[in-house]
């Protein structure tokens, strides 16, 4: 049995009840064969065995009291996956379905993503099975304060810097930072990112994930001699990331035609490409209703399809899933291919495609781009926020963007080059894994058995 197969088998046996984690490990390790099976130094140093084992896993009780005076208990997590190239870095997700498997999948992906940015950040992820929907500001504050009362022990500028993810935005980061500052008695701004502009946040951070994804996409189309101009794009989700994607796509002359929510999808044939419509996405998010169909209250010409996702159901040249993991399963993959218009799936949300769907799409001529490369602009900008905090100087929007653009364009080039170097030209997904792996593995090899 080959090295990769042996590690995969052992990882499956040891984590049998963690399907999302096993999904990403299988996807990533399979694509690393051209590196790790051609030089036994990786096996001798047990690089893969170490990479699939988080350095530390923190799980903790989060007690809080709701507005009715009732005691509530949630489960909190921080998985510190890999610190070979920098302090742990990655978001916090508050969503009722959060469990150890989901946090480990996100932490594993984050390690490769952070490496791709070229910045000195290791991989980590955390969160809680807390449902922000319908909670009052006071409840969210009490939850965040209780969560931080445990989390503060594990984070810090040179230790671990959490940020937001689904369910954690500016409001939550504010409450978390306030409690962190109070407990530690220090103004350690670089211990959390995604902060507000008045207390150490970076201009451009809320936009960075979506904008970065479009910079990546622009670089990809340029490399093929094409462009985004005039392309119809089916976007899913309607949160912060989908908003940034729609806004930047519009600047490049592409036409976003869908958004989606847990209730179904919206198809706006005329394009979600006016200032008004894009601004309305923010209102939809702020309303806390979590319903895509709210779009029709302002734009009744659009179509809403309840309980479905747009994959293979609309005419789009490109799909850019921006909602959550496993949005594109084999059924959706088959629908995309059967519909026939789309040539590209540019993943934005973390791991939106199942391994089976990925294989089917690639075998049927769809060019895939990996989320860990495409969405790295968010964490890259978080790292730039840490830099600004360290130098006690805020940068202008232009300065931040002037760093973000070359990072994203460089990530695409690295994915492309790695795929070519290791014998799978055009497989940008494998390229992302290979390029992300190389830097982390080199650092681990040089640092000895830790
Ligand atoms: O998935 C991600 O990269 C994030 N949620 C952002 C992490 C960060 O540290 O900004």
């Amino acid at each position: 049995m080959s090295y990769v197969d042996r590690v995969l088998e052992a990882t499956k046996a040891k984590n049998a009840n963690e399907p999302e984690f096993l999904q990403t490990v299988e996807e990533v390790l399979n694509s690393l064969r051209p590196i790790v099976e051609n030089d036994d130094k990786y096996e001798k140093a047990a690089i893969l065995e170490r990479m699939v084992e988080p350095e530390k896993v923190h799980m903790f009780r989060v007690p809080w009291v709701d507005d009715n005076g009732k005691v509530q208990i949630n489960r909190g997590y921080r998985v510190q996956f890999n610190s070979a190239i920098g302090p742990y870095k990655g978001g916090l997700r508050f969503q009722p379905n959060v469990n150890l498997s989901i946090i480990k999948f996100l932490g594993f992906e984050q390690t490769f993503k952070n490496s791709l940015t070229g910045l000195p950040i290791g991989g980590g992820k955390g969160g809680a099975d807390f449902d922000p929907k319908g909670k009052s500001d006071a409840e969210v504050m009490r939850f965040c304060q209780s969560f931080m009362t445990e989390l503060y022990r594990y984070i810090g500028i040179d230790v671990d810097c959490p940020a937001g993810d689904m369910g954690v935005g500016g409001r939550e980061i504010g409450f978390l930072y306030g409690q962190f500052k109070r407990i530690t008695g220090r103004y350690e701004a670089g211990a959390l990112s995604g902060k507000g502009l008045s207390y150490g946040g970076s201009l451009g951070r809320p936009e960075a994930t979506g904008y970065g994804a479009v910079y990546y996409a622009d670089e990809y189309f340029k490399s093929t001699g094409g462009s985004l101009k005039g392309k119809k794009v089916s976007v899913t989700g309607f949160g912060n990331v989908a908003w940034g994607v729609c806004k930047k796509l519009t600047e490049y002359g592409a036409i976003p035609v869908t958004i989606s929510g847990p209730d179904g999808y919206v198809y706006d044939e005329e394009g979600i490409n006016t200032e008004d419509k894009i601004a309305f996405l923010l209102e939809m998010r702020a309303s806390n209703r979590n319903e895509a169909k709210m779009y029709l209250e302002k734009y009744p010409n659009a179509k809403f399809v309840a309980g479905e996702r747009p994959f293979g159901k609309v005419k789009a040249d490109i799909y850019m899933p921006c909602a959550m993991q496993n949005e594109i399963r084999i059924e959706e993959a088959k629908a995309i291919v059967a519909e026939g218009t789309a040539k590209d799936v540019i993943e934005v949300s973390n791991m939106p495609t199942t391994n089976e769907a990925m294989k089917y799409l690639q075998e049927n001529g769809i060019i895939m781009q990996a989320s860990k490369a495409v969405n790295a602009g968010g964490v890259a900008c978080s790292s730039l926020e840490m830099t600004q905090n360290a130098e006690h100087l805020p940068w202008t929007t232009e300065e931040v963007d002037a760093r973000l653009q070359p990072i994203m364009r460089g990530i695409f080039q690295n994915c492309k080059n790695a795929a070519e170097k290791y014998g799978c030209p055009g497989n940008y997904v494998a390229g992302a894994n290979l390029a992300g792996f190389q830097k982390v593995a080199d650092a681990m090899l040089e640092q000895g058995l830790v």
Side-chain angles (χ1 to χ4, degrees):
M1 212 190 263
S2 75
Y3 178 39
V4 165
D5 288 328
R6 260 182 289 118
V7 175
L8 277 178
E9 191 163 288
T11 308
K12 285 179 193 167
K14 223 173 179 174
N15 306 278
N17 56 348
E18 296 176 1
E20 293 86 0
F21 175 58
L22 292 178
Q23 182 181 332
T24 171
V25 169
E26 190 161 5
E27 192 267 313
V28 172
L29 264 51
N30 271 320
S31 64
L32 298 180
R33 290 178 198 273
I35 296 184
V36 299
E37 291 182 347
N38 278 318
D39 187 335
D40 68 359
K41 70 181 176 191
Y42 299 100
E43 183 169 359
K44 280 196 177 133
I47 291 293
L48 294 182
E49 294 89 328
R50 284 194 277 155
M51 275 195 178
V52 298
E53 196 63 37
E55 289 175 15
K56 293 181 199 78
V57 175
H58 306 284
M59 269 172 67
F60 46 92
R61 178 205 298 158
V62 188
W64 57 285
V65 179
D66 70 19
D67 286 346
N68 298 319
K70 191 165 176 279
V71 172
Q72 301 283 347
I73 306 295
N74 285 99
R75 185 178 286 175
Y77 301 86
R78 187 70 185 168
V79 173
Q80 298 178 322
F81 228 105
N82 193 304
S83 64
I85 64 169
Y88 310 108
K89 178 94 200 76
L92 299 170
R93 177 176 291 193
F94 291 171
Q95 216 184 23
N97 70 358
V98 159
N99 57 37
L100 187 58
S101 173
I102 287 181
I103 300 299
K104 280 179 69 181
F105 117 63
L106 290 164
F108 186 75
E109 287 273 301
Q110 197 81 43
T111 302
F112 292 83
K113 178 196 310 195
N114 293 3
S115 166
L116 284 169
T117 66
L119 299 168
I121 39 179
K125 203 87 189 190
D129 58 354
F130 172 77
D131 189 357
K133 196 180 169 192
K135 301 289 191 298
S136 70
D137 283 354
E139 287 176 322
V140 170
M141 182 172 76
R142 286 195 294 275
F143 177 81
C144 287
Q145 289 180 338
S146 181
F147 184 85
M148 183 53 83
T149 302
E150 188 61 37
L151 184 71
Y152 89 94
R153 304 167 206 284
Y154 316 122
I155 68 172
I157 294 177
D158 295 321
V159 181
D160 184 351
C161 174
D165 192 86
M166 296 170 72
V168 178
R171 174 181 63 166
E172 290 74 18
I173 294 292
F175 295 147
L176 290 165
Y177 185 68
Q179 183 74 349
F180 176 74
K181 181 165 67 72
R182 186 176 189 203
I183 296 177
T184 58
R186 300 159 64 90
Y187 208 101
E188 224 181 289
L192 274 178
S193 68
K195 297 181 297 297
L197 291 177
S198 60
Y199 64 95
S202 175
L203 283 163
R205 176 64 188 87
E207 296 89 343
T209 310
Y211 284 15
V214 177
Y215 294 146
Y216 177 102
D218 179 61
E219 188 71 12
Y220 154 61
F221 282 109
K222 271 191 190 148
S223 83
T224 65
S227 93
L228 277 165
K229 200 167 172 59
K231 294 232 163 54
K232 293 204 166 139
V233 188
S234 172
V235 175
T236 60
F238 68 93
N240 168 261
V241 176
W243 164 75
V245 164
C246 289
K247 198 159 182 261
K248 201 47 129 186
L249 279 175
T250 301
E251 284 177 33
Y252 279 87
I255 309 149
V257 290
T258 64
I259 50 165
S260 74
D263 55 332
Y265 75 89
V266 169
Y267 181 36
D268 186 343
E269 244 187 310
E270 294 163 17
I272 307 173
N273 58 354
T274 63
E275 235 174 77
D276 253 30
K277 288 177 176 179
I278 291 164
F280 192 63
L281 297 184
L282 291 181
E283 273 180 57
M284 288 168 60
R285 175 55 50 199
S287 79
N288 219 2
R289 281 165 50 185
N290 208 17
E291 289 174 345
K293 71 166 182 275
M294 184 175 164
Y295 185 86
L296 271 71
E297 291 171 15
K298 189 144 184 216
Y299 305 104
N301 286 344
K303 189 170 104 181
F304 174 71
V305 181
E308 294 197 26
R309 287 176 278 196
F311 306 107
K313 308 229 166 85
V314 297
K315 279 232 167 306
D317 305 297
I318 308 168
Y319 285 97
M320 291 184 80
C322 301
M324 61 187 286
Q325 68 271 4
N326 294 335
E327 295 176 65
I328 307 180
R329 299 158 305 181
I330 189 69
E331 306 88 279
E332 284 84 11
K334 285 183 174 166
I336 289 171
V337 171
E339 195 282 325
T341 310
K343 298 277 172 292
D344 291 280
V345 173
I346 301 177
E347 298 186 328
V348 189
S349 51
N350 289 308
M351 200 171 73
T353 316
T354 66
N355 293 345
E356 194 191 3
M358 172 82 78
K359 188 162 175 281
Y360 184 86
L361 288 165
Q362 288 177 323
E363 284 173 0
N364 286 279
I366 304 284
I367 310 291
M368 302 288 304
Q369 305 293 336
S371 56
K372 60 173 76 65
V374 178
N375 75 24
V379 75
C381 192
S382 273
S383 186
L384 300 178
E385 181 175 331
M386 294 169 78
T387 308
Q388 294 168 69
N389 295 151
E391 65 180 23
H392 302 277
L393 279 175
W395 300 352
T396 63
T397 307
E398 292 72 26
E399 283 173 293
V400 174
D401 198 63
R403 296 274 191 157
L404 179 63
Q405 276 220 41
I407 289 171
M408 296 314 299
R409 294 181 188 281
I411 290 174
F412 170 74
Q413 295 299 339
N414 287 341
C415 295
K416 180 172 182 280
N417 293 339
E420 283 163 10
K421 178 171 171 194
Y422 292 105
C424 45
N427 187 344
Y428 304 102
V429 175
N433 293 333
L434 290 157
F437 171 80
Q438 193 67 69
K439 184 180 175 194
V440 178
D442 287 348
M444 289 174 75
L445 287 168
E446 287 181 35
Q447 290 172 22
L449 189 58
V450 292

